[in-house]
Amino acid sequence: MISSINASILLTDKEKEFIENHPIIKVGNDKFWPPFDFYEDNQAKGFSVDYLKELGTISGLKFEFIQGESWEALTNKLKTKKLDILTALEPTLKNKKFALFSDDILVTFESMITQKKYSNLNSYRDLYGKKVGIIKGYDLENEIKENHKQIDMVLFDTPLEAIHALSDGRIDVFIENSSVALYLMNKHFISNLKLNASPKFPNLDDGDIIKVASRIDYPELHSIIQKAIKLIPDDKKIYLHKKWISSINNLPNKTTIIALTKEEKEYLKNKKVIKMCVDPNWMPFERIKNSKHIGLASDYIKLFSKKLNIPIELVATSSWSESLQKAKSRECDILSLASNTPLRSEYMDFTSPYMVTPIVVATKIGIPFIDSIESIKEKKLGVVKGYSFNEILRGKYPNINLVEVDSTKDGLNKVESGKIFGYIDNSIVINDEIQKNYVSTLAVSGKFIYKSELSIATRNDEVILNNIFQKAIDSIDYVDKQKILSKWVKISYASKVDYTLVWQILCIVSMIWIFNIYRQNLLKKQNQELETIVNEKTKDLHNLNKDLEQKVKQRTLELEKLNKELTNLSNIDPLTGAYNRRYLYTVSKDLIALTKRGNQHLSLAMIDIDDFKKINDTYGHSIGDEVIKTIVNKISKNIRASDTLVRFGGEEFVILLNNTNLHQSMIILEKIRKIIEQCILKESIRFTISIGASEFMDNENNIEKLIKRADEWLYIAKNSGKNRIGNKVA
């Protein structure tokens, strides 16, 4: 068997011995997860199967593929050591107790799949109150059970069973890998379904990251796999991707055509060219190189330009701050990638995010894991000047010690030199830069609850431009997204080493070490004898402490879980999934304290549905409920993560706008009013809202007066003709 090993892979003696002693490696074959892993014509097939065969060719490992009746059953077999390898197992803390995980071999996306006739879903909140299909054993099952009781979860053994249940109307939504869903819909001629956005559950990654998981008691197997992965040629990886992933196309539900209105077409015709500003140094997302726009965003912009049939022209800048200034002065029409903030909303509109990634902090290697910004806010933390994180973090943590830097590279250099403790940025950007330039000195040491939600920003004096780019974003299918991500977010590979020279040097050094080793062994033996005595005395005490700590920890977790469930039930409106009045009075205390402490602004809007009794009397209460849920859905999509939407009672709603003055809130509220005005239910039912707005005053200690002023201005808006905003600077 050793003779079949690829000559380019360097194995240790232990690794060679492992291959000799384990002639067959048992691999779990998920029979029902095409195109990655499935069983057809009496043989294992798919991307993962072919990828492992390539690893076997390089390493000399021989694989036997063992079929499982379900994903849950395969996971249990790896856990009980009846299998040696499983692909696509999530690297969670629970799974890391029994498996070792390789580097990424593929990054894919999850999608919420629905029937075509239903409205698009944009986030996990849209799943509340719906029957949602989940595969047994997925980590998503526990996430919904523990944190999203509002979802009616229906469990299935295989994706195909769930696809048929969705097509037949037995469930409302099915959450699955987009490539798996597309493959099954195409193969089984199911044409009444469509892909929506990723659910973006706060505690889970948006994508499916495929790794090779191996038995935790086989470290040599893990190291052999790691070495073989680094030696797979790029052309072989491209071939496997084309064979299994890129070939899934021409499905009837792929949105490739943008349906523009006559007004939108006329606007583009007169516009002739769209001017664009970008971040000139933010790879792999984007940069300006030799006067050209490159990166992830560049590939999206090329698609948008082609679909809209209009040139999108780069406006060169030297920094992100300069790009923001040019957008503000109308020298550019759009920003290719930007997060929505109150300051930017004064001069730009924002589409829904088309890239969402976690915010992380990079530090020197060896720093313990950081689970919250609160724990490090007093340390010096670098953020690129002008980035949205700067505004968000200063709003949430007024005393945070932020240091503005010129670029990602500048921030990481300052961490490496010790001038700052950490650098905060998007996870993809930091990982890309660390792999290229800082792999031996820096590492990602913490992942925060905040996410980088990146949209296309359009000048707000030409509102129609935002509608056009929203349609362009909606037209991009998941296959194109995956191609773009795979192109720019790559696994790093070690460069080839001249091992002949290495062995020559090692031989010389070994001769020098032999004498020193002999002397050290004598001392080492004496030290070991002393350590054995000490270890035996402390072992019993350590075990007792460990058992006690485990019992306390388990009981604490159980109590926390119960408290969390009770809190969620008491704070959520069951019809809409929005917060209720009880939560408003609870959260407002913290917001008012933060507003006063940080010398910030806080605005409140009181919203009422116009002529709602008439809607109920004319169409019935079920339609009235649909109107309420539609309004909550539209408002939720057009406010920020830091804002709070509350169903105050009946047809009344409240929005708390954090760190926002009355002038800024009017921009947001006017946009919401126009969106509601344009809504149509059942092809003919229209409805509008009236809004009263007010701003918190420094001499106030609670929210009551703020609500009263907003309610008074709501009354004025109602009596002035409805479908308008009443306000007065407090």
Side-chain angles (χ1 to χ4, degrees):
M1 182 179 298
I2 296 296
S3 61
S4 66
I5 295 176
N6 188 310
S8 62
I9 188 169
L10 273 180
L11 300 179
T12 65
D13 290 339
K14 282 190 175 182
E15 289 167 344
K16 292 176 182 177
E17 184 181 357
F18 177 87
I19 296 175
E20 289 282 8
N21 295 334
H22 299 83
I24 298 296
I25 301 299
K26 294 180 180 180
V27 180
N29 173 217
D30 186 345
K31 296 196 297 185
F32 311 106
W33 207 52
F36 302 108
D37 198 9
F38 60 108
Y39 191 72
E40 191 177 71
D41 300 328
N42 295 319
Q43 59 180 319
K45 293 183 178 180
F47 175 88
S48 299
V49 174
D50 283 358
Y51 198 98
L52 282 174
K53 289 177 179 177
E54 287 298 321
L55 296 182
T57 301
I58 293 171
S59 65
L61 293 168
K62 301 294 183 184
F63 299 115
E64 177 186 2
F65 294 91
I66 309 295
Q67 285 69 50
E69 291 306 314
S70 68
W71 178 249
E72 190 175 30
L74 286 171
T75 303
N76 286 332
K77 282 186 177 182
L78 181 65
K79 190 174 182 179
T80 56
K81 300 180 173 59
K82 294 177 182 178
L83 289 176
D84 304 318
I85 281 179
L86 196 59
T87 59
L89 184 68
E90 288 280 343
T92 62
L93 290 175
K94 180 181 71 174
N95 293 338
K96 285 180 179 179
K97 292 179 180 178
F98 61 88
L100 300 171
F101 291 85
S102 73
D103 292 338
D104 302 350
I105 63 174
L106 187 68
V107 179
T108 62
F109 294 93
E110 278 188 341
S111 176
M112 296 180 288
I113 305 120
T114 63
Q115 291 191 9
K116 285 183 178 179
K117 63 184 179 181
Y118 295 120
S119 302
N120 290 337
L121 304 181
N122 297 296
S123 80
Y124 68 94
R125 287 186 174 277
D126 295 334
L127 301 174
Y128 291 172
K130 293 181 172 62
K131 285 187 176 181
V132 180
I134 302 296
I135 302 302
K136 290 180 184 176
Y138 280 16
D139 292 303
L140 189 54
E141 179 184 348
N142 289 330
E143 171 65 10
I144 291 175
K145 281 181 180 177
E146 294 175 6
N147 301 314
H148 304 279
K149 304 285 187 182
Q150 305 93 324
I151 296 175
D152 184 6
M153 182 168 58
V154 182
L155 296 177
F156 294 89
D157 288 323
T158 71
L160 185 58
E161 290 175 8
I163 287 284
H164 281 306
L166 180 62
S167 181
D168 297 341
R170 285 177 280 142
I171 58 175
D172 303 312
V173 188
F174 174 42
I175 300 177
E176 183 51 277
N177 181 284
S178 58
S179 296
V180 173
L182 287 170
Y183 184 96
L184 293 173
M185 289 155 58
N186 191 25
K187 182 176 178 62
H188 296 276
F189 304 101
I190 299 172
S191 60
N192 67 330
L193 304 182
K194 66 178 180 179
L195 301 185
N196 294 266
S198 169
K200 301 171 188 166
F201 285 98
N203 297 323
L204 297 176
D205 292 328
D206 294 340
D208 280 330
I209 301 173
I210 297 181
K211 299 172 178 282
V212 179
S214 56
R215 285 173 50 166
I216 198 166
D217 60 332
Y218 282 177
E220 289 80 15
L221 176 59
H222 170 70
S223 60
I224 294 168
I225 292 291
Q226 284 286 77
K227 290 178 180 179
I229 286 174
K230 297 181 185 298
L231 292 173
I232 292 186
D234 285 343
D235 59 348
K236 180 59 69 174
K237 286 182 285 183
I238 292 169
Y239 165 77
L240 292 178
H241 195 280
K242 286 182 177 179
K243 177 182 178 181
W244 293 108
I245 313 300
S246 303
S247 60
I248 307 170
N249 51 26
N250 298 321
L251 285 177
N253 70 314
K254 288 175 70 177
T255 308
T256 56
I257 299 173
I258 302 176
L260 297 177
T261 64
K262 182 178 179 181
E263 183 185 5
E264 289 165 346
K265 290 177 182 177
E266 189 66 24
Y267 170 84
L268 291 177
K269 182 180 177 181
N270 295 331
K271 189 75 172 173
K272 293 185 175 58
V273 63
I274 294 173
K275 304 279 189 178
M276 172 185 66
C277 286
V278 305
D279 190 323
N281 192 19
W282 204 38
M283 288 298 282
F285 284 118
E286 61 182 355
R287 71 174 293 189
I288 298 176
K289 184 178 182 181
N290 299 327
S291 301
K292 291 184 178 180
H293 184 213
I294 64 170
L296 272 161
S298 170
D299 285 0
Y300 276 103
I301 293 298
K302 288 171 185 174
L303 277 175
F304 298 151
S305 177
K306 183 178 179 181
K307 286 172 176 283
L308 296 172
N309 194 28
I310 187 171
I312 299 177
E313 185 178 289
L314 175 67
V315 177
T317 58
S318 59
S319 69
W320 177 240
S321 297
E322 184 184 353
S323 293
L324 290 176
Q325 187 57 46
K326 285 187 180 292
K328 195 171 185 179
S329 62
R330 307 307 190 194
E331 294 177 61
C332 48
D333 303 307
I334 67 169
L335 296 170
S336 57
L337 276 177
S339 294
N340 190 353
T341 70
L343 290 177
R344 295 175 189 173
S345 293
E346 293 182 6
Y347 56 93
M348 302 297 279
D349 287 331
F350 293 82
T351 65
S352 61
Y354 68 105
M355 282 190 251
V356 180
T357 55
I359 302 300
V360 299
V361 60
T363 67
K364 289 184 177 180
I365 288 175
I367 298 296
F369 183 76
I370 302 162
D371 59 0
S372 71
I373 294 178
E374 185 74 33
S375 64
I376 58 170
K377 67 179 183 180
E378 294 179 358
K379 297 182 181 294
K380 290 184 178 180
L381 301 171
V383 179
V384 172
K385 184 178 181 181
Y387 278 10
S388 61
F389 321 139
N390 206 322
E391 188 175 338
I392 292 170
L393 292 175
R394 290 188 191 278
K396 290 281 186 182
Y397 307 97
N399 298 323
I400 193 168
N401 191 1
L402 291 184
V403 177
E404 292 187 339
V405 297
D406 295 329
S407 64
T408 301
K409 198 172 184 69
D410 179 37
L412 293 175
N413 282 340
K414 283 182 167 60
V415 175
E416 190 177 44
S417 65
K419 293 180 180 178
I420 59 177
F421 172 77
Y423 171 70
I424 298 174
D425 205 333
N426 183 294
S427 62
I428 290 179
V429 173
I430 285 186
N431 280 321
D432 181 74
E433 193 64 41
I434 286 178
Q435 286 181 8
K436 289 177 180 176
N437 300 305
Y438 305 91
V439 70
S440 63
T441 56
L442 304 182
V444 173
S445 300
K447 175 182 173 183
F448 305 131
I449 60 171
Y450 306 106
K451 291 189 176 182
S452 176
E453 298 185 346
L454 301 171
S455 309
I456 290 181
T458 62
R459 54 190 300 171
N460 64 1
D461 60 338
E462 296 180 12
V463 178
I464 194 171
L465 188 59
N466 189 260
N467 297 333
I468 291 170
F469 271 99
Q470 184 60 59
K471 290 181 178 180
I473 286 174
D474 292 340
S475 76
I476 303 298
D477 62 57
Y478 281 83
V479 174
D480 284 334
K481 287 184 177 181
Q482 186 169 288
K483 286 179 182 177
I484 293 171
L485 185 67
S486 299
K487 175 181 176 182
W488 292 102
V489 182
K490 297 182 179 179
I491 305 166
S492 61
Y493 299 93
S495 58
K496 191 173 181 180
V497 180
D498 183 354
Y499 288 106
T500 302
L501 178 60
V502 171
W503 284 114
Q504 290 173 351
I505 295 171
L506 285 176
C507 287
I508 296 171
V509 173
S510 296
M511 293 176 65
I512 298 172
W513 280 352
I514 289 173
F515 179 72
N516 288 332
I517 290 172
Y518 172 74
R519 294 182 61 191
Q520 289 171 1
N521 282 340
L522 293 175
L523 294 172
K524 184 178 179 181
K525 185 177 180 180
Q526 294 175 349
N527 288 335
Q528 286 175 341
E529 290 174 353
L530 290 172
E531 287 176 358
T532 300
I533 295 171
V534 173
N535 289 338
E536 288 176 353
K537 296 295 183 182
T538 58
K539 186 176 180 180
D540 291 339
L541 180 60
H542 174 76
N543 289 336
L544 286 171
N545 286 337
K546 188 175 181 180
D547 289 343
L548 181 60
E549 288 174 359
Q550 187 62 35
K551 289 177 181 178
V552 171
K553 182 179 179 181
Q554 183 63 34
R555 184 57 180 158
T556 302
L557 288 173
E558 290 172 358
L559 291 172
E560 287 177 350
K561 182 180 176 181
L562 288 171
N563 287 334
K564 190 172 184 180
E565 290 175 357
L566 289 171
T567 301
N568 284 339
L569 288 172
S570 64
N571 288 333
I572 298 297
D573 172 51
L575 175 64
T576 63
Y579 291 116
N580 58 22
R581 184 187 294 210
R582 181 181 183 277
Y583 181 79
L584 171 66
Y585 285 105
T586 300
V587 76
S588 64
K589 295 177 183 177
D590 294 333
L591 282 176
I592 288 172
L594 179 64
T595 300
K596 286 191 168 188
R597 186 169 64 249
N599 194 24
Q600 300 174 1
H601 298 280
L602 176 66
S603 294
L604 181 143
M606 180 73 76
I607 299 173
D608 186 80
I609 304 174
D610 296 329
D611 300 317
F612 186 68
K613 184 178 184 302
K614 184 178 179 181
I615 294 172
N616 277 335
D617 292 345
T618 305
Y619 302 106
H621 289 280
S622 61
I623 294 298
D625 287 348
E626 286 300 315
V627 170
I628 289 173
K629 288 192 283 186
T630 299
I631 288 173
V632 168
N633 183 288
K634 295 295 183 183
I635 294 175
S636 297
K637 292 178 182 177
N638 288 278
I639 60 177
R640 304 155 301 175
S642 59
D643 299 332
T644 304
L645 171 61
V646 171
R647 187 182 179 194
F648 198 66
E651 66 270 27
E652 285 190 322
F653 310 90
V654 166
I655 306 175
L656 274 175
L657 297 154
N658 184 33
N659 196 18
T660 306
N661 62 33
L662 190 57
H663 172 70
Q664 292 169 334
S665 71
M666 289 300 297
I667 297 171
I668 298 170
L669 296 174
E670 178 61 17
K671 181 179 179 181
I672 291 171
R673 186 195 65 77
K674 288 181 178 179
I675 289 170
I676 300 300
E677 183 182 34
Q678 295 170 3
C679 288
I680 303 176
L681 278 183
K682 304 293 184 181
E683 298 184 355
S684 62
I685 302 171
R686 293 180 175 271
F687 44 88
T688 59
I689 58 174
S690 296
I691 305 173
S694 63
E695 183 176 356
F696 181 76
M697 301 176 67
D698 292 339
N699 60 354
E700 294 175 344
N701 294 315
N702 56 52
I703 201 171
E704 295 294 346
K705 291 183 179 179
L706 191 59
I707 292 175
K708 183 180 178 183
R709 288 198 303 278
D711 194 45
E712 289 171 352
W713 281 104
L714 172 61
Y715 179 80
I716 292 171
K718 285 281 192 182
N719 286 284
S720 300
K722 304 178 183 177
N723 191 21
R724 62 192 63 218
I725 303 173
N727 71 90
K728 178 182 178 182
V729 178

